[in-house]
Amino acid sequence: MSDLSKMKIAEARDALKAGDVTSVELTEACLAEIEAADALGAFVHKTPEIALEQAKAADARKDGGDLNGIPLGIKDLFCTKGVASQAASGILEGFKPEYESTVTTQLFNDGAVMLGKLNMDEFAMGSSNETSVYGNAVNPWKAGDAELTPGGSSGGSASAVAADLCLGATGTDTGGSIRQPAAFTGITGIKPTYGRVSRWGIVAFASSLDQAGPMTKDVRDAAIMLKAMSGHDPKDSTSADLAVPDFEAALTGDIRGKTIGIPKEYRMEGMPAEIEKLWEDGTAMLKDAGAKIVDISLPHTKYALPAYYVIAPAEASSNLARYDGVRFGHRAKLDAGDGITEMYEKTRAEGFGNEVKRRVMIGTYVLSAGFYDAYYNRARKVRALIKKDFEDVFAQGVDAILTPATPSSAFELGKKFDDPVQMYLNDVFTVTTNLAGLPGIAVPAGLDKAGLPLGLQLIGRPWEEGDLLNTAYALEQAVQFVAKPNRWW
């Protein structure tokens, strides 16, 4: 079999079980693709020895899970024992954890193979993968000669899956960091309900918003991978003690009788006509599949971005206080007479990139004594109102909400980098689900006039990822998106 790295997780699983292919063959095919794809900047710590060792063990195993022998990429935010885990930051240079994150432990227990660590925005702060200490990750899709962003912060994950360097990848989503890159690269990405997947061993950005999820080539693969990643973890106090359903078994494609809400507040001023049409087409497809379409209102949506950009930096400034040059990672060289304060200042000035510094300063400001009530407490109240908007809509019998995933297709690297506000506006359709803790999935739904992928987002009821995945599956079946990037790297 040729083109092994192009396989989807489900077909590779079946081929492995049938003995048509071995995990070693699959893994070697992916490793060869990775070696030839340095121009994409997707893999930043390659682990071929670990991958081949895990692949051999998978081939010898008789009772592995659905991911047994499947080669995956792991976002650099997940701690992997003995392997560099830098969160794409200079301040964690040289850090090799002595422990394994819960998510990677579960994936390995299921038999998955780790090909290496994937590029991302520093500490997951960014929407374009341009804040990474490793340099940019690049979108495998192109329109003209310019290099495009794969989205952020899980840009390396999106690029690697879209370019067939791996069969699937882990991502994390704090304000859209799984769904926006998935939409930009023509793949599927799901952010589960907050608490469905353990955060233990994942470097924290904003603890009340962060959630890990899979980035895959289609909805079925997302269901398979999400099942392996999910489950209660006593080490994470926010992890939900709920049984994990068989998400793949929920994929019937039958959505007759389901109610899909279309929020009027997501019709943004200046939204490209292509995005508007994509949304209308997606709505029509779900209606044709038997769903009932209703107009809904989420009145506090317009306050979501400002609330998010107060809460997330506030939590970041608290979480990133631990990077001080004392216990691990980078420590600045000190001059004679420098004390501990100078060591903190120099280490953090050298180790953190500009976007991280910007957010830490914003966060420290909104948490300071004179501004706590004016900003942070007010943002928390807005968050509660946004959550209530969704609760009210779901109480009216809505099963899922359809929206665009992004306000545009992938943009040119360097185009928005110097304008933080322009960059933050990329999260306009995605942050509400993080603030409300809801599951959201991005599905590729078409190409724009330049031939770049566009995605639609479905938002589901809390803990009903199975139902959400099935609605996404019905949409995927109707869209029949099969386009792939032309290989230029």
Side-chain angles (χ1 to χ4, degrees):
M1 288 174 90
S2 61
D3 294 340
L4 291 179
S5 72
K6 291 189 169 71
M7 291 178 99
K8 294 175 181 174
I9 290 172
E11 56 180 320
R13 170 191 64 184
D14 298 343
L16 285 162
K17 285 187 174 161
D20 296 338
V21 68
T22 66
S23 176
V24 169
E25 288 168 343
L26 260 181
T27 302
E28 284 175 340
C30 289
L31 290 171
E33 290 295 322
I34 292 164
E35 278 309 308
D38 283 346
L40 295 176
F43 275 88
V44 290
H45 298 292
K46 300 170 187 173
T47 56
E49 296 85 1
I50 293 171
L52 288 168
E53 196 179 304
Q54 289 176 330
K56 284 172 189 157
D59 285 334
R61 204 178 285 122
K62 296 283 176 275
D63 56 350
D66 280 336
L67 292 176
N68 190 49
I70 303 292
L72 303 175
I74 305 296
K75 187 176 179 178
D76 196 38
L77 210 60
F78 293 77
C79 286
T80 42
K81 189 174 180 179
V83 177
S85 305
Q86 278 185 241
S89 180
I91 208 158
L92 276 172
E93 191 179 352
F95 176 57
K96 292 183 177 177
E98 289 301 314
Y99 53 89
E100 195 73 51
S101 76
T102 298
V103 165
T104 47
T105 300
Q106 289 178 192
L107 292 173
F108 298 154
N109 288 346
D110 210 53
V113 170
M114 177 174 78
L115 296 164
K117 303 298 282 290
L118 292 160
N119 207 346
M120 55 177 281
D121 278 297
E122 184 182 4
F123 283 107
M125 297 182 199
S127 303
S128 63
N129 215 134
E130 291 174 275
T131 67
S132 167
V133 73
Y134 311 116
N136 303 340
V138 180
N139 197 326
W141 292 81
K142 262 193 173 182
D145 295 331
E147 290 188 340
L148 305 176
T149 176
S153 64
S154 309
S157 302
S159 180
V161 173
D164 294 319
L165 310 185
C166 54
L167 274 62
T170 62
T172 62
D173 191 310
T174 306
S177 288
I178 285 174
R179 292 158 291 152
Q180 183 247 24
F184 276 3
T185 55
I187 65 168
T188 298
I190 181 169
K191 178 202 92 72
T193 312
Y194 182 80
R196 173 65 87 186
V197 175
S198 170
R199 292 184 300 108
W200 194 84
I202 301 173
V203 178
F205 163 16
S207 303
S208 76
L209 300 161
D210 298 344
Q211 192 61 190
M215 300 179 74
T216 56
K217 297 176 188 181
D218 67 6
V219 173
R220 183 173 298 278
D221 286 4
I224 293 167
M225 209 169 144
L226 181 60
K227 185 186 175 196
M229 291 172 72
S230 300
H232 179 241
D233 178 12
K235 295 200 286 278
D236 174 4
S237 62
T238 60
S239 169
D241 193 358
L242 290 171
V244 179
D246 185 342
F247 297 125
E248 190 184 5
L251 303 182
T252 61
D254 185 0
I255 57 166
R256 286 172 298 183
K258 295 285 180 192
T259 302
I260 309 294
I262 308 295
K264 66 179 186 198
E265 287 80 9
Y266 280 59
R267 286 199 164 79
M268 301 287 175
E269 205 179 311
M271 190 161 80
E274 289 173 309
I275 301 279
E276 186 84 51
K277 184 172 187 323
L278 187 83
W279 194 11
E280 285 170 8
D281 291 348
T283 305
M285 286 173 187
L286 292 174
K287 191 175 182 182
D288 288 347
K292 179 184 169 193
I293 307 296
V294 295
D295 288 323
I296 58 167
S297 178
L298 298 165
H300 295 94
T301 295
K302 61 177 174 286
Y303 306 116
L305 265 183
Y308 174 83
Y309 279 104
V310 168
I311 292 166
E315 294 187 17
S317 89
S318 168
N319 277 327
L320 270 56
R322 71 192 71 167
Y323 305 109
D324 52 16
V326 177
R327 288 153 297 183
F328 48 77
H330 175 73
R331 179 185 293 187
K333 286 189 169 60
L334 303 181
D335 298 324
D338 280 350
I340 191 155
T341 304
E342 287 79 12
M343 187 195 73
Y344 287 163
E345 288 172 352
K346 287 182 178 178
T347 296
R348 290 164 71 83
E350 287 174 14
F352 288 144
N354 288 341
E355 182 59 32
V356 172
K357 289 176 190 168
R358 182 183 290 123
R359 296 202 198 188
V360 166
M361 287 191 287
I362 291 169
T364 308
Y365 178 80
V366 300
L367 289 176
S368 59
F371 303 100
Y372 190 89
D373 283 335
Y375 291 106
Y376 186 65
N377 261 347
R378 192 173 288 180
R380 284 173 56 203
K381 287 172 184 166
V382 170
R383 181 182 191 170
L385 293 170
I386 289 167
K387 192 165 187 282
K388 187 171 185 311
D389 284 350
F390 283 105
E391 285 167 358
D392 292 347
V393 163
F394 290 134
Q396 291 159 21
V398 169
D399 296 292
I401 297 164
L402 181 72
T403 79
T406 58
S408 70
S409 59
F411 50 89
E412 207 175 306
L413 285 164
K415 263 286 165 69
K416 301 185 181 183
F417 190 58
D418 296 327
D419 186 345
V421 175
Q422 273 296 307
M423 200 65 92
Y424 298 166
L425 288 170
N426 273 291
D427 303 333
V428 66
F429 298 127
T430 50
V431 295
T432 49
T433 58
N434 298 81
L435 290 166
L438 298 171
I441 185 169
V443 179
L447 299 173
D448 71 0
K449 60 178 178 288
L452 298 173
L454 297 169
L456 286 171
Q457 173 182 233
L458 283 158
I459 301 167
R461 294 166 171 267
W463 313 114
E464 293 190 15
E465 290 89 354
D467 201 42
L468 177 66
L469 282 157
N470 186 43
T471 307
Y473 183 65
L475 182 62
E476 179 185 73
Q477 299 294 97
V479 170
Q480 290 291 316
F481 183 90
V482 291
K484 297 287 283 185
N486 293 321
R487 190 180 178 122
W488 55 266
W489 57 92

